Amino acid sequence: MEQRIKEQRKAARERQKRSRQRLREDERQVTRDRNRLRMQQRRMNTSQEERELHLQIMRNIDQESRNDMNDVSRFIPINVDYVYTGIHSSVSDLITEAWEHFLFNLETMHPDHGATTWGEWTTNKTFNSYKLNVEFFVETEISSLSSATNESYTLSILSYDDRSTVKIEAETFYGARHGLETLSQLMNYDTENNCLQMINFLKEIYDNPVFPHRGLSVDTSRNFITIDAIKRTLDIMAANKLNRFHWHITDTHSFPMKMQSRPELHQYGAYSPRQVYTKEDIKDIVHYGNTRGVLVYPEFDSPAHVGNGWQWGPSGGLGNLAVCVNQEPWQSYCVEPPCGQLNLANPFMYEVLTDVYTEMNENFGPLSLFHFGGDEVNMNCWNSSDEIREWMAGNLSEAAYLEKWSEFHVKSWEIFQNISQEPDMKGILWTSTLTETGRAENYIDKDKFIIQLWTEHNDTVAEELASKGYDLIFSNYDTWYLDCGMEAWVGEGYNWCSPYNGWKKVYTNSPFDLLPLQYHGQIVGGEAALWTEQADSETIDSKLWPRGAALAERLWANPSTSWEVAEPRLLLHRQRLVERGAAAERLQPQWCLENEGFCYL
């Protein structure tokens, strides 16, 4: 009898426990539903005016905190903490890593912080005991970026007595991370009290990007870029809410990607055994970017821009995998030295290409976005090969070569899609001879490829492509190429895309101004590109920043205001980027930063 009573009591306690668990889960579900509804309502109601209001808040925050010292909280980083109220462990892990990055950014605000030193904060009891708590709510367990990812967030601040509470709500981790970045930019260093300060109160704001694709394209073939420099770039991209790192990892100059299946590629193609990216390096960089809200996706540029690294075919029994490699005079076979293009007549080339795609998908992916390159093919290069001329069966016309070039892209896409097994896999191609007026729909499938435009911003081909149904990414060389305006590295004068594209030109270039309204829905976004003929790990920061920050605000908010309005904010933000480790280019004397509005014409 006694045993039966114990069992009944135990069963009753279990029922009560389950009942409480169901009740708590019901309460959490109600909260999630309420938050979901609120987020949906905000997304429906957001407008350009709300975006401008958010920019105004960011514009005035530093001045407000200086002018009204009674409306700020003062604290030190060690007393900043967070709580995650969601239920998804994958998101919790991402938030933990994002939080560590956030705390490090707070430490960098101290003027004594350096590469090997940390600043010492105030020991004042009042500021030393003030608490700042950040509450996260994330609705979904999405842990990878895509063009459909919701990056919106809400943020509010409420303070009382000796603590402030910040609430960040988002549908995805990426929105929550952006909210955390905004929070860090609502803080600054209080020189008088040797602590951080932040506004006490902020009515809930809703923020989301205009364009889903906001990126930088960086070339690591012409000059090798170290892993540290790439990670530093990802850190600063996160500070600007840029979300796509387009990694142009190989070219004719070098093949720095270490291959396991075809080691001859990097053995022949890397500048040195030390200047390679291993499988572990790439996976680490991809993860590093993801925790900072950046999708790292690769480009394997072909059929042109393929040379060094592909010379081993004959000695490996595979024949010529590429043609006109390092051929002279280079001006006859390519746009810049060294030359090289894939040998379309050699079926073994596709076997090697399949292995390259397989390892790239494994290291970077699985990938639903892949850049196939596809520009600057030179017909003379292919015609220099007896094998290719024979394969063309005597038809060496441009039209015949264009057809073979197009077939190569179709086959390449099919190979990669078969490897990735991503049903929504999208390829990207640069504008090229295939996309010239009247040609694109004959050679490129709009359902398989996004077109990235690197032509001038007023090129009429953009509207033609949009009218044919192509989705577009803008990277106009006369506004968003960051390597322009340098002395020529071959010959005399200045490089081909001069003049220099300053931050004001970068800021002013709105993709919405480049197409009629009816085609705005086909604009995926934009990227600024850095080709590294004259850049490396030591100079990449000054090439990218703060011009990349001007790009970021354009693609996130697409403000209707001019660069004059943005200038004071960009000067301050440039200082923030320097605090975080970027050797960003100086824009004005410090006096202008300290005397806003007096450096004008």
Side-chain angles (χ1 to χ4, degrees):
M1 177 66 71
E2 184 177 349
Q3 180 63 28
R4 189 183 307 119
I5 293 173
K6 287 182 180 180
E7 291 175 354
Q8 290 174 346
R9 288 176 177 174
K10 181 180 179 181
R13 286 195 298 269
E14 289 295 326
R15 286 194 297 272
Q16 290 173 352
K17 181 180 178 181
R18 289 194 295 270
S19 178
R20 287 194 297 268
Q21 288 174 338
R22 285 195 299 270
L23 180 60
R24 284 196 294 269
E25 179 57 34
D26 289 344
E27 290 172 345
R28 283 195 292 265
Q29 185 61 48
V30 169
T31 301
R32 288 195 293 270
D33 291 343
R34 184 184 299 117
N35 286 327
R36 184 182 299 109
L37 179 61
R38 291 167 61 195
M39 294 292 288
Q40 290 172 347
Q41 290 172 336
R42 293 187 190 101
R43 287 195 290 271
M44 292 171 61
N45 296 331
T46 189
S47 64
Q48 182 66 28
E49 289 74 18
E50 287 174 313
R51 298 183 197 283
E52 299 293 348
L53 177 61
H54 176 58
L55 284 175
Q56 186 66 39
I57 291 170
M58 298 302 295
R59 187 179 303 135
N60 294 336
I61 183 61
D62 183 63
Q63 188 63 47
E64 288 178 358
S65 62
R66 289 198 300 264
N67 292 343
D68 193 350
M69 301 301 286
N70 293 322
D71 290 337
V72 300
S73 308
R74 295 181 181 84
F75 52 90
I76 60 176
I78 197 172
N79 289 328
V80 180
D81 205 354
Y82 80 99
V83 59
Y84 167 59
T85 60
I87 61 173
H88 307 296
S89 59
S90 59
V91 172
S92 179
D93 293 341
L94 286 171
I95 285 180
T96 298
E97 293 190 59
W99 184 258
E100 292 173 357
H101 184 223
F102 169 76
L103 289 182
F104 178 79
N105 288 339
L106 299 192
E107 293 287 352
T108 65
M109 294 184 192
H110 196 289
D112 294 335
H113 184 275
T116 59
T117 60
W118 289 63
E120 295 186 7
W121 300 93
T122 182
T123 57
N124 180 288
K125 185 176 181 181
T126 300
F127 307 143
N128 221 350
S129 61
Y130 196 91
K131 306 294 184 183
L132 173 62
N133 191 59
V134 179
E135 297 179 2
F136 289 102
F137 175 82
V138 178
E139 182 180 333
T140 69
E141 60 181 344
I142 294 172
S143 58
S144 60
L145 272 166
S146 73
S147 59
T149 301
N150 186 335
E151 298 177 80
S152 67
Y153 65 92
T154 65
L155 185 150
S156 63
I157 302 173
L158 184 63
S159 303
Y160 54 93
D161 297 333
D162 61 347
R163 67 181 58 244
S164 292
T165 300
V166 177
K167 290 189 177 182
I168 297 175
E169 298 177 359
E171 182 177 308
T172 68
F173 157 75
Y174 303 98
R177 195 225 67 86
H178 294 326
L180 195 59
E181 181 57 48
T182 295
L183 176 62
S184 73
Q185 296 181 25
L186 295 175
M187 302 175 184
N188 62 15
Y189 177 71
D190 181 344
T191 304
E192 182 178 347
N193 295 297
N194 188 26
C195 63
L196 294 176
Q197 59 182 359
M198 180 189 73
I199 55 173
N200 265 330
F201 174 78
L202 180 65
K203 185 178 179 180
E204 184 178 83
I205 61 169
Y206 172 76
D207 193 20
N208 69 317
V210 173
F211 298 102
H213 189 113
R214 309 177 306 280
L216 295 177
S217 174
V218 176
D219 159 35
T220 63
S221 170
R222 288 165 174 84
N223 278 305
F224 184 80
I225 306 297
T226 64
I227 294 169
D228 285 346
I230 292 174
K231 285 186 172 182
R232 188 169 65 249
T233 299
L234 294 171
D235 285 336
I236 306 304
M237 289 180 69
N240 292 280
K241 301 188 181 80
L242 289 168
N243 69 348
R244 297 289 190 275
F245 182 79
H246 167 184
W247 193 347
H248 186 94
I249 193 168
T250 67
D251 211 291
T252 54
H253 308 74
S254 72
F255 194 103
M257 184 174 63
K258 191 170 185 178
M259 294 285 298
Q260 293 180 320
S261 60
R262 303 283 184 173
E264 297 91 343
L265 287 166
H266 69 266
Q267 290 169 356
Y268 277 76
Y271 285 129
S272 76
R274 293 175 178 267
Q275 292 173 296
V276 294
Y277 305 105
T278 67
K279 172 182 178 179
E280 292 74 23
D281 293 334
I282 294 172
K283 285 180 173 290
D284 180 46
I285 288 170
V286 170
H287 176 77
Y288 193 90
N290 191 47
T291 62
R292 286 153 178 78
V294 181
L295 171 66
V296 178
Y297 77 97
E299 175 183 355
F300 182 77
D301 201 351
S302 61
H305 294 278
V306 175
N308 286 291
W310 292 79
Q311 307 99 312
W312 56 275
S315 62
L318 301 181
N320 290 316
L321 299 171
V323 297
C324 79
V325 178
N326 298 329
Q327 193 156 330
E328 292 289 341
W330 66 265
Q331 295 93 333
S332 298
Y333 305 104
C334 58
V335 296
E336 68 177 52
C339 301
Q341 291 179 186
L342 290 177
N343 182 0
L344 302 188
N346 184 351
F348 290 117
M349 177 272 292
Y350 284 105
E351 293 184 13
V352 177
L353 188 64
T354 299
D355 290 338
V356 172
Y357 287 168
T358 298
E359 291 199 28
M360 293 185 93
N361 185 68
E362 180 183 351
N363 297 345
F364 284 90
L367 288 165
S368 59
L369 186 68
F370 185 81
H371 207 302
F372 291 85
D375 67 336
E376 297 182 329
V377 166
N378 190 302
M379 305 306 174
N380 289 335
C381 175
W382 279 335
N383 268 327
S384 70
S385 164
D386 293 338
E387 182 182 358
I388 290 180
R389 289 201 307 273
E390 181 179 346
W391 178 68
M392 293 292 291
N395 186 357
L396 305 181
S397 66
E398 181 185 51
Y401 272 120
L402 292 179
E403 192 65 37
K404 295 299 184 182
W405 179 2
S406 171
E407 290 172 4
F408 168 79
H409 284 314
V410 171
K411 192 166 185 177
S412 297
W413 187 92
E414 290 174 348
I415 291 171
F416 197 93
Q417 202 279 333
N418 185 57
I419 292 166
S420 72
Q421 292 294 305
E422 291 287 337
D424 300 322
M425 207 280 288
K426 275 284 191 177
I428 304 175
L429 289 172
W430 293 104
T431 45
S432 67
T433 308
L434 296 179
T435 62
E436 290 176 355
T437 302
R439 285 179 169 173
E441 61 183 339
N442 297 322
Y443 297 116
I444 298 174
D445 188 337
K446 69 179 185 301
D447 296 323
K448 292 182 172 65
F449 294 103
I450 299 167
I451 304 299
Q452 186 165 4
L453 296 106
W454 62 275
T455 52
E456 292 180 305
H457 74 282
N458 58 358
D459 188 353
T460 57
V461 76
E463 185 172 346
E464 179 183 311
L465 290 169
S467 71
K468 300 299 183 182
Y470 292 92
D471 289 335
L472 305 175
I473 297 170
F474 283 96
S475 295
N476 311 108
Y477 79 79
D478 58 342
T479 55
W480 285 353
Y481 267 30
L482 304 183
D483 54 303
C484 301
M486 305 299 293
E487 187 174 23
W489 62 278
V490 286
E492 298 179 340
Y494 293 90
N495 63 2
W496 72 274
C497 60
S498 294
Y500 180 84
N501 293 321
W503 79 264
K504 297 168 189 174
K505 188 188 290 187
V506 172
Y507 189 85
T508 304
N509 188 50
S510 170
F512 282 163
D513 293 340
L514 307 180
L515 286 177
L517 179 62
Q518 68 261 36
Y519 302 129
H520 284 185
Q522 291 164 240
I523 302 175
V524 182
E527 292 180 355
L530 178 62
W531 305 103
T532 59
E533 289 94 341
Q534 295 171 286
D536 60 12
S537 304
E538 308 307 318
T539 61
I540 186 173
D541 288 8
S542 61
K543 299 280 189 181
L544 293 177
W545 314 110
R547 290 185 291 170
L551 171 86
E553 183 163 300
R554 172 56 56 196
L555 294 175
W556 178 276
N558 196 43
S560 58
T561 50
S562 68
W563 64 263
E564 289 93 342
V565 176
E567 186 172 54
R569 188 168 64 257
L570 186 64
L571 294 179
L572 181 64
H573 188 56
R574 183 263 173 191
Q575 295 300 106
R576 181 181 293 116
L577 302 185
V578 171
E579 289 174 355
R580 296 191 184 185
E585 184 180 41
R586 190 90 202 196
L587 298 178
Q588 289 183 344
Q590 185 171 337
W591 187 89
C592 299
L593 176 65
E594 297 177 355
N595 295 271
E596 184 178 322
F598 286 92
C599 295
Y600 65 92
L601 278 176

